[in-house]
Amino acid sequence: MTDHDTSRAGALLTIDVGAICDNWRSLQAAVGAAQCAAVVKADAYGLGATRVAPALAAAGCRTFFVAHLDEALALKPALPAHAAVLVLHGPTPGTEAEFERRGIVPVLNSAAQIAGWRALARRLDRELPAFVQVDSGMARLGLSPVELQAVAADAPSLAGIRVAGVMSHLACAEDQANPANREQLQRFRAARRLLPAAPASFANSSAIFLGDDYHFDLVRPGAALYGIAPVAGASNPLRPVVRLQGKVMQTRDIEPGTPVGYGHSWRCGQPTRIATVSVGYADGWLRALSNRGAAWFNGTLLPLVGKVSMDTITLDASAVPAGALQPGALVDLINEQQDVDTVAAQAGTIGYEVLTSLGQRYARRYVGEPGTA
Ligand SMILES: Cc1ncc(COP(=O)(O)O)c(C=O)c1O
């Protein structure tokens, strides 16, 4: 739902595209001569790739990463022709020709993906661009050390492939003191020496803050663009992007001992005003926030009491004067006082999961898009 009239929706999600662009500019400034790309997979971490990516392109971003071909195909028409769209998961067998036809650049993660891309280049009798990913210590995607040695020992294995980039991904970058970061850096440097000379890409959001050594030629932030704190335990240098406001449906005053919600997991110890808000786990308000999360109303904290239901949460609104929370009033679930990382900590997860879980039922309002006042 994109109409920002909340009368038909239970909540309003405001996405500050101008803040996303400012965050991209800050990251670009932080990496100096390197190029700052944007990771817009998973619908730009739930915020709307076809709204976010064109704004970033207008701000100067030239390279966009998604995970799947489908995501790339949806994104490509929204971007200027000069923008590069790369698919992190590379081609699944049989999709190579569609990548080429649609001008989408694959990240090749295995000897099999290299073989598929090489075969297409041979069939078309011309060079095709691709990134090659190496696994520098995460055991997830990319050429394993054994595969890398085999590719290096067999130069024709890359015949017809123009290696437009060599990349790898860090496992522990948000933890700056973790020795795994340096170990991966050393392995990535060694891996580059085994592959054709090409621009290198290593850093996600957090790794940008590990220092120049990690920047290479192209950095790939996602989370930091969307306002997630990049360094564990440090203050967040980026602008907040998301505001989520849930709508009050009704309030009731209950007597001491009254149980609230499924499983009667919470009972009030004193007379309590309960406000029921129309956001639930089907909207990505995680059930782990049961009896833990909170909302804010005009600077007052309203603890979430009882279980999160599919479509509703219940708040202890006793601190708000009677009558202040009329049906239709909006309470803040994500705002500057309670940012995405705070909500994630309450739910025992990470900001990435909070953002990418945000549901499809919200009225969405985009602010700060280029060309708008
Ligand atoms: C390969 C790769 N590069 C870059 C990113 C962006 O990471 P972040 O959102 O931490 O900046 C991701 C995200 O998971 C990724 O998988």
Side-chain angles (χ1 to χ4, degrees), residues 13-21 23 47 52 223-228 238-244 334 336 340 355 365 367:
L13 181 67
T14 303
I15 296 159
D16 188 341
V17 178
I20 297 175
C21 292
N23 290 339
L47 303 184
V52 168
L225 297 174
Y226 311 116
I228 292 173
L238 298 150
R239 286 190 59 193
V241 165
V242 167
R243 183 176 188 189
L244 177 62
I334 299 175
E336 292 194 23
V340 174
L355 280 192
R365 180 170 60 180
V367 299

Side-chain angles (χ1 to χ4, degrees), residues 163-184:
V163 181
V166 173
M167 63 172 272
S168 191
H169 192 54
L170 285 150
C172 308
E174 72 286 358
D175 174 11
Q176 295 198 320
N178 198 313
N181 296 325
R182 280 254 141 219
E183 285 161 24
Q184 282 199 254

Side-chain angles (χ1 to χ4, degrees), residues 64-65 81 99 102 111 123-124 158 175 177 191 202 223-224 252 254 258 282 344 362:
F64 297 85
F65 286 90
F99 272 79
R102 306 295 285 269
R123 213 162 59 241
L124 299 177
L158 290 170
D175 174 11
F202 194 43
R252 74 192 69 235
I254 57 174
T258 307
Y362 301 132

Side-chain angles (χ1 to χ4, degrees), residues 8 21 28 54 60 76 130 184 192 227 247 258 309 323 334 347 364 368 373:
R8 298 193 300 278
C21 292
Q28 177 60 80
K76 187 89 174 142
Q184 282 199 254
R192 284 189 74 199
K247 198 193 290 177
T258 307
S309 302
I334 299 175
R364 286 181 176 227

Side-chain angles (χ1 to χ4, degrees), residues 6-339:
T6 52
S7 60
R8 298 193 300 278
L12 173 62
L13 181 67
T14 303
I15 296 159
D16 188 341
V17 178
I20 297 175
C21 292
D22 281 350
N23 290 339
W24 180 82
R25 286 186 200 97
S26 307
L27 297 169
Q28 177 60 80
V31 300
Q35 188 199 138
C36 187
V39 177
V40 293
K41 62 194 168 98
D43 204 21
Y45 291 37
L47 303 184
T50 55
R51 302 295 283 262
V52 168
L56 286 170
C61 182
R62 287 174 280 148
T63 305
F64 297 85
F65 286 90
V66 293
H68 302 286
L69 176 57
D70 263 346
E71 293 181 309
L73 295 176
L75 184 61
K76 187 89 174 142
L79 287 174
H82 68 262
V85 177
L86 289 106
V87 172
L88 290 164
H89 288 191
T92 49
T95 60
E96 292 86 357
E98 193 162 17
F99 272 79
E100 192 278 331
R101 258 198 323 275
R102 306 295 285 269
I104 291 160
V105 179
V107 175
L108 305 176
N109 293 294
S110 63
Q113 286 188 334
I114 288 176
W117 200 237
R118 185 179 66 228
L120 181 65
R122 195 182 317 116
R123 213 162 59 241
L124 299 177
D125 193 25
R126 60 191 169 77
E127 275 208 320
L128 298 178
F131 272 39
V132 173
Q133 175 154 220
V134 296
D135 173 18
S136 59
M138 192 171 174
R140 188 182 71 164
L141 285 173
L143 297 180
S144 68
V146 170
E147 279 182 315
L148 177 61
Q149 290 293 344
V151 167
D154 176 25
S157 66
L158 290 170
I161 298 177
R162 181 170 65 78
V163 181
V166 173
M167 63 172 272
S168 191
H169 192 54
L170 285 150
C172 308
E174 72 286 358
D175 174 11
Q176 295 198 320
N178 198 313
N181 296 325
R182 280 254 141 219
E183 285 161 24
Q184 282 199 254
L185 178 62
Q186 275 152 14
R187 282 194 217 112
F188 182 55
R189 284 181 173 145
R192 284 189 74 199
R193 288 194 284 272
L194 295 174
L195 288 166
S201 177
F202 194 43
N204 67 340
S205 300
S206 300
I208 290 172
F209 296 86
L210 289 175
D212 298 359
D213 280 1
Y214 290 79
H215 296 166
F216 294 92
D217 303 297
L218 178 75
V219 298
R220 309 186 307 271
L225 297 174
Y226 311 116
I228 292 173
V231 181
S235 65
N236 188 347
L238 298 150
R239 286 190 59 193
V241 165
V242 167
R243 183 176 188 189
L244 177 62
Q245 296 163 283
K247 198 193 290 177
V248 173
M249 299 169 69
Q250 45 178 260
T251 57
R252 74 192 69 235
D253 292 322
I254 57 174
E255 297 300 321
T258 307
V260 174
Y262 282 120
H264 288 176
S265 67
W266 189 82
R267 276 171 207 269
C268 58
Q270 55 199 21
T272 298
R273 180 164 309 118
I274 295 291
T276 303
V277 172
S278 56
V279 169
Y281 61 75
D283 304 295
W285 205 248
L286 303 172
R287 196 161 179 274
L289 291 164
S290 298
N291 289 309
R292 304 186 64 169
W296 289 80
F297 181 69
N298 285 346
T300 303
L301 181 101
L302 313 179
L304 194 161
V305 294
K307 297 281 190 202
V308 175
S309 302
M310 185 183 291
D311 314 299
T312 54
I313 51 174
T314 36
L315 304 172
D316 178 348
S318 308
V320 175
L325 278 179
Q326 293 296 327
L330 294 174
V331 296
D332 276 310
L333 293 166
I334 299 175
N335 65 3
E336 292 194 23
Q337 276 154 317
Q338 177 166 288
D339 63 16

